[in-house]
Structures are given as structure tokens and as C-alpha cells.
Amino acid sequence: METAVGVTPSRREVVPKAAGEFIAGTMGGWAQVFVGHPFDTIKVRMQTQPSPPIYSGGMDCLRATLKGEGAMGLYKGVTSPLAGIGFCNAVVFAANGFFLRLLQSNSSEPLTLGQKAMAGGLAGGVMSFLNCPVELLKVKLQTQYGSAMAAAATGHKPYTGVFNCGVRTFQERGLRGLYRGLGITILRDIPSFWAYFGLYEGMKAGLVYRRLGVADGSKSNGIEQFLAGGFAGISAWLTAYPQDVIKSRVQMGYKYKSATDAFKALLVEAKGGNWRIFFRGFGPTILRAFPANAATFVAYEWTMKALHL
């Protein structure tokens, strides 16, 4: 994005650009988690429910979660993304800035929208290696239903928290256990972040052009960043949702040997025209996507501005 390429001459950098992108990305990640985690819990529970389903829809899942576990049930597993997504978001924004500068290095011409989208896709590939273990722990905790006592009654010793979940997963399966589902995470994140940064930059520039008559995203205001960020979040999920369903199935336990195995099982469930199986939890995801990602980009841009970058 324009804020990641070049420095306004009249300002003095508070920190080096790469460090600023990392800090701003962290702030954006934290904003995203606080706004979006309850929606994410509903999404994961909808994706991983058995067939026939136990919830009739997102609202039914929400009511059942609140009734059985209270409001804190919606924030199950939040520690992992709060720590992890803050860091992951920092990495993806810093990686995006790195690839933007790399693409810009051999040319004095402004980057095209396609190049900015490409930088986002490459950053998504980097992000996958951090996203995978963070989301695996989150999914395991989110699909641990009810109280600890109820979970213990099923014969599976419940996880007491994200650290306990991580340690036990490593003890039982090693590093490969923490990176279970990496391949499908990469297949999700590259197109997702290509669309994410591409639409954000394009829409931001378009909104500025409508207001000022010049397509310069660096002149965007908070409202334009909010709108562009929200729709960028929606576009990211539209390109990647079926992959995310497969990933959640793989990471929730060891029923499936691989993402291919999970995909084949979903195809069996989809027989008879039930293709909605690949979009379970889509409603809560899209409801989450706009406010969570609008908050992400506003927090990111505000931090970059505060750091004079």
C-alpha cells in the first residue's frame, strides 16, 4: 500500500519503516481479535459440527453457546489469537511492506494494483507458517464444548488453556502436530491475502479519487480506510472459505489423515446437492469480516501515521 512505500519528506520517522510496519500490524491484529473472536468461535463450531448438524444455523449456535457456556464461551481460545494473531498480523503487514519495496526497487514508476495484490499474496504465503499453529490451538479450544467437567466425561482430558493445549499437542505429535494442516493453510492464505491487500488498495484509491479527483490512497481518511478494510476482509473470505472449512476439519482432531482425506469426506457429505457443507459458518464469518478487518486497517493506518510513516 502507499503507506508502505516511501516516506512523506516533511515528516521524521519515529522508528525505522520495517519496525513501524511490525508495530502497526500488531495493533491491527489486536483490534481484529477483540472485535472478531466471538464471530470466529461460531464459525468454527458451525464448520466442525457432525453430520447431521447439531445447529440449525449461526443464530442457533450463538444461542446454544450463550445458554451452555455464557458470554465467555464466545471467547474460548482467545489467548492464542491475541498473542498469535497480533504477531502474525505484524509479520504479514511487514512482509507486505517488504514485497512492495522489493517490487518497487527496480522502477521509479508507481506500483500497479496488480503488483500490490501480488505483494499481498506473497505476504500471505509467509503468514501461513505462523497462522497454522496459532489457528490449530484456537480450533482445538473452540471445539472443546461445554465445561471442563463435561469435556472430561467424554473420556478426553480437556485442555485447560492455550499453553496446555500447545504442550500436549507437541508431546503427543511433535512439531508436525502443531503444523497439522499447513498445506491447506497455504492454499487458503495466498489467494486470500492477494484479494485482501488488492481490494483494500484499489477501493481506498477509488474512494480518494471520488473525493479529491486523484487516485492516491495515501490521502485516504479514516472513513475511507474503514470502508476499504471492511470490504477487503469480505473479499479475502470469498476467495478462501472452502479451504478454511477443510482446514478446520483437519485441525480439530485426528479423524482425518490429511486435508485430501477431509476434502473427500466433505464431498461424500455434499452428495445429493448439499454443497452448503463447504460454506457452513459462512454467515458469522462475513458478519465478522467487515468490522474486524475495518478495525484492523484503521488501527494499522492510525499507528503508521502516529509513527510518522
Side-chain angles (χ1 to χ4, degrees):
M1 62 186 66
E2 286 84 353
T3 53
V5 183
V7 178
T8 304
S10 60
R11 292 179 174 181
R12 182 179 179 182
E13 295 180 359
V14 176
V15 296
K17 181 171 291 299
E21 289 164 347
F22 193 89
I23 294 168
T26 301
M27 297 299 291
W30 287 345
Q32 181 182 119
V33 172
F34 279 117
V35 173
H37 193 79
F39 295 96
D40 190 67
T41 297
I42 300 301
K43 179 205 75 171
V44 169
R45 290 190 170 190
M46 290 290 293
Q47 288 178 339
T48 57
Q49 63 182 320
S51 184
I54 57 178
Y55 305 117
S56 61
M59 288 303 298
D60 184 46
C61 182
L62 174 62
R63 284 192 293 267
T65 300
L66 290 173
K67 182 179 179 180
E69 303 165 63
M72 290 307 296
L74 296 172
Y75 279 92
K76 273 191 171 180
V78 73
T79 307
S80 176
L82 192 59
I85 289 180
F87 180 72
C88 289
N89 217 59
V91 169
V92 79
F93 274 92
N96 181 61
F98 170 79
F99 288 119
L100 285 171
R101 289 190 292 275
L102 186 66
L103 291 170
Q104 182 77 72
S105 60
N106 296 322
S107 174
S108 59
E109 295 295 317
L111 293 178
T112 65
L113 183 58
Q115 289 174 315
K116 292 173 183 177
M118 182 191 300
L122 292 170
V126 173
M127 175 81 153
S128 302
F129 289 88
L130 298 173
N131 252 345
C132 185
V134 169
E135 293 192 4
L136 180 135
L137 300 181
K138 174 179 68 68
V139 168
K140 281 180 175 289
L141 288 165
Q142 286 175 324
T143 54
Q144 181 172 275
Y145 294 91
S147 64
M149 185 177 295
T154 65
H156 170 74
K157 185 179 179 181
Y159 300 116
T160 58
V162 65
F163 181 75
N164 177 258
C165 183
V167 169
R168 284 171 55 187
T169 300
F170 182 77
Q171 288 175 338
E172 294 167 6
R173 302 280 172 163
L175 191 61
R176 289 184 64 181
L178 291 172
Y179 275 90
R180 181 172 170 80
L182 176 61
I184 192 64
T185 304
I186 293 171
L187 291 176
R188 180 197 66 173
D189 285 353
I190 289 178
S192 179
F193 282 98
W194 178 88
Y196 189 59
F197 284 105
L199 190 139
Y200 178 71
E201 290 296 339
M203 186 171 181
K204 188 172 64 166
L207 290 170
V208 172
Y209 181 81
R210 183 177 179 181
R211 178 169 55 91
L212 299 178
V214 56
D216 184 353
S218 65
K219 299 183 185 299
S220 60
N221 58 34
I223 294 175
E224 291 160 346
Q225 293 158 10
F226 183 88
L227 290 172
F231 284 107
I234 291 174
S235 72
W237 280 113
L238 289 175
T239 61
Y241 198 80
Q243 300 97 297
D244 191 64
V245 172
I246 297 168
K247 183 192 73 69
S248 292
R249 290 277 184 119
V250 171
Q251 292 186 328
M252 70 177 287
Y254 303 103
K255 178 180 178 180
Y256 305 106
K257 295 178 180 178
S258 65
T260 301
D261 190 29
F263 177 61
K264 289 178 179 177
L266 283 164
L267 286 178
V268 171
E269 292 182 42
K271 281 185 177 178
N274 186 29
W275 294 103
R276 291 178 63 184
I277 193 77
F278 286 98
F279 290 91
R280 274 185 180 171
F282 187 68
T285 300
I286 294 301
L287 286 174
R288 169 191 179 273
F290 191 96
N293 290 284
T296 298
F297 275 106
V298 169
Y300 173 82
E301 297 277 13
W302 180 86
T303 306
M304 290 292 282
K305 182 178 180 181
L307 295 174
H308 294 174
L309 294 173

